[in-house]
Amino acid sequence: MRGVRFDDGHHPAIRELDLSLEAGERLVAFGASGSGKRTFLKLAAGILKPDAGTIESEPLGYVPSEGGLLSNLSLLDNAILPLVYHKRLPLARAAERGRAALSELGLGDRLERRPATVSASARRLAQLARAMLVEPSVFLLDDPLEENRGALKATLDGTSKAGKDLPAIIADVKDLVADLKRHPWRLLRKGDAQPPPPQSSGPKQP
Amino acid sequence: MRGFLIALGRAARRTLSLVGQVARLNVLLALALLSPRRLNFRLILRLTASQARFTGLEAVPLVGACAVLVGGLAVVQTFGLLAGLADATIGKLLVGIIVREFGPLLVAVVLIGRSGTAIATEVGAMSLSGELDALKAFRIGELDFIVLPRALGMILATFSLIVFFDAAGILGGFGAASLLKDVSLSGLRELLLYSLTNADLAVTAVKAVVFGHAVAVLACVYGLRVRGSSTELPKAVTRAVVASMGVVLALDTAITAAFYML
């Protein structure tokens, strides 16, 4: 992101933001409710367009905190959709990859179910699988702490296995501590125009 | 007075915004069709097929029933009101009216009521639930994933339904006629041969494409604009129905004028 500015009266405003991430880095956006973390994430994902400035990154793995799975497709079909659409894999091969990814996350027994018929954490894991299958350069996670710790751990393990960038939006830092101890990470708070340089030791309690 | 002007201005802005969105969508669709290599055919075909099945195949009983009844009723009334005219003339009149106007218009009404509402609701719900946001984040174009298959499916279904309606309507009319008078099967064949012109076939095709496309695009646009709360959803659907009716009638008038009055 470079010189990004955003204000449309509906979402929290972002004044001026310059941000670039290296491979393997984690960025944690931290702030009180309403401080603009989700807006930041949506700008990064390309869902919202900034009023000024440029944003570059492709491909993206987006994992929102709710909604986001097409409700009339099974978990498997949802997970492989970006693959089928962009890479034009034949259905059988895409399904194979999808099954592998979903089973790895523990959803092997629920592949054919629709999103509304499974638990919220299952939905979250399916969205993560979808993001992982795209092999993105950046993962965008919205509120990964919302579900139980099992799902969170799978989320963090999954993204570290992919070994990629991981900007994450969280509401509180507690559960993230163990993971952060293992990777270089940076903290972005409301009002920052740029996140501070990476730190490798565990986080200080804010 | 001021309040009235404000409301008028708001309505005008919204209408212009809608017209702009529809125009933009049409241009993008045309451009997408002109460079087909970039489209994912397999996926689009699958989606088109399922839309065509819902809009077309599943509407057959309703359309068939309407057609037979309309054809029969039209015969009954015309025979009664136009007692002086020759049978052949009445027959020609009926075939012409069913094929040229009743068929396309009544099919359009069924289309709007069934598929227009379904598409607007589905797309609107996707907008509200964040599904569209996720698609955008994964760079899955709403144009070729959502709008294009629906428009194509609608066009295919509309054409088939109009032809089906014409056939069923004429048969229904023939059935009613044979109840009222002595009519022969060969008389029917002659009737059909001499009543329909080349313009009729062209008009059927044009109306099918135009109506199917218009209803699909309008339903999608109204659905895509839904946001904020779930009460916006039924509002959008109602507005889509009203707009579709108006647009279909306007287009029908234009096409009829172009083909039959010039």
Side-chain angles (χ1 to χ4, degrees):
Chain A
M1 291 191 177
R2 232 160 292 166
V4 168
R5 222 179 312 138
F6 181 79
D7 187 352
D8 70 349
H10 287 297
H11 301 97
I14 293 186
R15 249 168 307 136
E16 191 77 38
L17 190 52
D18 281 298
L19 173 60
S20 72
L21 286 169
E22 307 290 328
E25 264 195 307
R26 311 250 167 171
L27 177 77
V28 172
F30 181 75
S33 158
S35 53
K37 313 188 288 290
R38 191 160 294 175
T39 309
F40 162 67
L41 200 70
K42 285 194 171 177
L43 283 168
I47 294 172
L48 293 172
K49 284 206 168 57
D51 294 331
T54 55
I55 300 179
E56 316 164 346
S57 77
E58 269 277 356
L60 288 175
Y62 175 66
V63 185
S65 66
E66 63 196 356
L69 290 174
L70 294 178
S71 46
N72 63 345
L73 292 179
S74 67
L75 292 183
L76 180 62
D77 285 333
N78 260 299
I80 62 178
L81 185 62
L83 225 53
V84 170
Y85 181 84
H86 287 295
K87 308 250 171 82
R88 300 167 182 233
L89 279 187
L91 213 51
R93 259 205 295 160
E96 235 176 81
R97 284 212 220 166
R99 255 179 237 121
L102 285 169
S103 308
E104 223 177 271
L105 293 174
L107 295 174
D109 55 335
R110 283 167 279 181
L111 292 173
E112 301 297 331
R113 308 258 301 256
R114 301 275 166 88
T117 61
V118 296
S119 67
S121 53
R123 283 196 282 275
R124 169 63 70 85
L125 291 172
Q127 303 214 50
L128 178 64
R130 176 175 64 178
M132 282 168 60
L133 283 169
V134 168
E135 284 166 22
S137 55
V138 173
F139 272 99
L140 300 173
L141 300 188
D142 190 346
D143 224 350
L145 297 181
E146 198 168 303
E147 270 74 55
N148 60 54
R149 308 183 97 243
L152 170 65
K153 183 166 185 304
T155 306
L156 297 174
D157 283 344
T159 52
S160 26
K161 220 180 303 192
K164 313 278 209 279
D165 266 333
L166 174 55
I169 291 189
I170 55 166
D172 82 76
V173 210
K174 272 187 290 177
D175 289 311
L176 212 48
V177 168
D179 174 76
L180 289 180
K181 287 210 169 102
R182 287 184 272 129
H183 300 267
W185 63 277
R186 297 151 79 179
L187 188 64
L188 177 69
R189 304 168 94 125
K190 173 179 184 173
D192 283 349
Q194 249 193 346
Q199 327 180 25
S200 309
S201 55
K204 323 181 277 285
Q205 275 306 327
Chain B
M1 184 64 195
R2 187 155 167 271
F4 171 71
L5 284 176
I6 291 179
L8 195 64
R10 202 178 301 144
R13 249 182 56 184
R14 194 175 64 212
T15 310
L16 283 175
S17 155
L18 274 169
V19 170
Q21 211 166 338
V22 169
R24 183 175 166 273
L25 203 57
N26 279 322
V27 168
L28 289 176
L29 277 174
L31 288 175
L33 285 174
L34 286 174
S35 50
R37 307 200 120 258
R38 298 195 316 149
L39 298 175
N40 188 332
F41 276 135
R42 232 177 285 139
L43 186 61
I44 292 181
L45 242 63
R46 254 191 303 139
L47 296 170
T48 304
S50 73
Q51 178 70 47
R53 183 173 62 229
F54 170 74
T55 300
L57 202 57
E58 295 177 16
V60 160
L62 178 60
V63 169
C66 280
V68 167
L69 285 176
V70 166
L73 291 171
V75 162
V76 169
Q77 294 293 359
T78 24
F79 267 101
L81 294 168
L82 301 174
L85 287 180
D87 288 353
T89 320
I90 298 184
K92 192 170 168 181
L93 178 75
L94 286 170
V95 170
I97 289 202
I98 287 177
V99 169
R100 295 178 184 190
E101 295 297 335
F102 276 177
L105 273 179
L106 281 170
V107 165
V109 168
V110 168
L111 220 55
I112 294 173
R114 283 185 80 252
S115 305
T117 54
I119 292 177
T121 310
E122 189 191 3
V123 175
M126 287 174 79
S127 180
L128 282 175
S129 69
E131 291 172 35
L132 292 184
D133 280 349
L135 288 178
K136 217 185 286 193
F138 281 102
R139 308 289 192 262
I140 293 180
E142 65 191 23
L143 185 77
D144 42 341
F145 185 68
I146 293 183
V147 183
L148 185 59
R150 287 187 169 70
L152 284 179
M154 280 278 251
I155 290 175
L156 288 172
T158 309
F159 185 76
S160 318
L161 284 177
I162 292 181
V163 170
F164 174 63
F165 184 101
D166 292 344
I170 291 173
L171 282 177
F174 188 73
S178 57
L179 288 177
L180 295 174
K181 299 198 168 193
D182 263 327
V183 275
S184 62
L185 218 50
S186 63
L188 178 66
R189 194 173 56 101
E190 242 186 60
L191 185 69
L192 286 174
L193 276 176
Y194 291 117
S195 305
L196 297 175
T197 67
N198 282 337
D200 293 335
L201 296 173
V203 163
T204 303
V206 169
K207 284 191 180 179
V209 171
V210 167
F211 290 177
H213 177 85
V215 174
V217 166
L218 281 171
C220 284
V221 166
Y222 277 94
L224 290 169
R225 289 162 73 91
V226 172
R227 51 186 58 108
S229 80
S230 46
T231 11
E232 293 301 314
L233 189 54
K235 275 204 236 173
V237 173
T238 317
R239 289 195 195 123
V241 168
V242 170
S244 302
M245 295 268 203
V247 167
V248 161
L249 283 172
L251 290 171
D252 185 62
T253 311
I255 296 174
T256 297
F259 275 86
Y260 295 115
M261 282 162 48
L262 297 178

